[in-house]
Amino acid sequence: MRPPLPSRPPASYLPPPLPPAPAEGDPLVLRVSRRMLWVGSVAIPLHNITWVNAFRLKRAWGVAAARLLALLIGAVLVYAALDSAGDGEPRAGQNGNLVVVIVVIGLAVVCKGLFTSAKPVLAVEMASGSKVMVTLPSMDELRRTAGRIVHAIDNPEAEFTALVQQYSHTNNYGPVVNMRDGRGNTGFKL
């Protein structure tokens, strides 16, 4: 004969509450607790982590070149659209100054992205190949945090909390960490 089933699960069975999502610009809480790495409200099992690294993110020369090419094509199209009158007669040079201003502003934006200092990031890669990346102004703090995560992987009793910053604000639904790459990773489903 089977014993009767309990009417509700014991209190220890309840999962821990999710941390609140930070407002834009607020620091993220990076926390290791009960064999889980929490980055804001994203939870990663420590046994799923395959790679932890603190490094300076390389400048995106390819992205800058693509932006510059798009800027030049856009400037040529704007010039061509503004230089021809409605009757098909070209008006040489009347709107050249506007195109020059557009190109100079665009070049300033592209150069700013290339010549600013490389951003220090902490990348945590999971077994699926997806990565979570956060940042801090100090490379030494990121290296210490990476060491604490690695220590927590080997020591189940290890717990700690650190404040980090978001690497990217690309989600329209609120602040999240930048998770990219991975096999079968389709992003966040909200």
Side-chain angles (χ1 to χ4, degrees):
M1 180 144 104
R2 291 179 123 179
L5 295 175
S7 59
R8 51 180 214 195
S12 64
Y13 182 73
L14 298 175
L18 287 175
E24 187 172 336
D26 286 351
L28 286 172
V29 175
L30 186 137
R31 176 173 53 101
V32 170
S33 175
R34 297 175 59 186
R35 304 289 300 146
M36 295 291 283
L37 171 65
W38 291 87
V39 184
S41 59
V42 175
I44 303 163
L46 286 177
H47 68 272
N48 231 9
I49 295 174
T50 59
W51 181 73
V52 178
N53 192 13
F55 59 94
R56 291 202 176 270
L57 194 60
K58 293 180 182 176
R59 292 175 185 89
W61 290 97
V63 172
R67 285 182 185 160
L68 180 61
L69 183 62
L71 168 75
L72 293 176
I73 290 172
V76 167
L77 292 175
V78 166
Y79 182 75
L82 293 176
D83 199 37
S84 64
D87 57 0
E89 298 272 333
R91 292 183 279 160
Q94 288 181 349
N95 296 308
N97 292 339
L98 176 65
V99 173
V100 170
V101 169
I102 291 172
V103 169
V104 168
I105 290 172
L107 284 175
V109 170
V110 169
C111 290
K112 179 185 176 271
L114 284 178
F115 298 115
T116 56
S117 63
K119 184 176 281 234
V121 294
L122 171 68
V124 178
E125 185 172 323
M126 278 71 77
S128 65
S130 58
K131 293 181 192 108
V132 172
M133 293 171 52
V134 295
T135 186
L136 279 174
S138 168
M139 194 66 180
D140 293 332
E141 288 180 69
L142 286 176
R143 286 191 179 116
R144 279 193 296 274
T145 303
R148 293 174 81 183
I149 292 171
V150 171
H151 174 76
I153 292 171
D154 288 337
N155 298 293
E157 70 283 349
E159 294 190 359
F160 74 92
T161 302
L163 292 179
V164 294
Q165 296 169 355
Q166 298 180 64
Y167 169 67
S168 170
H169 301 279
T170 57
N171 189 346
N172 296 330
Y173 299 103
V176 295
V177 295
N178 185 11
M179 183 176 279
R180 56 187 196 157
D181 300 332
R183 291 169 292 214
N185 182 12
T186 59
F188 292 97
K189 302 289 186 198
L190 299 175

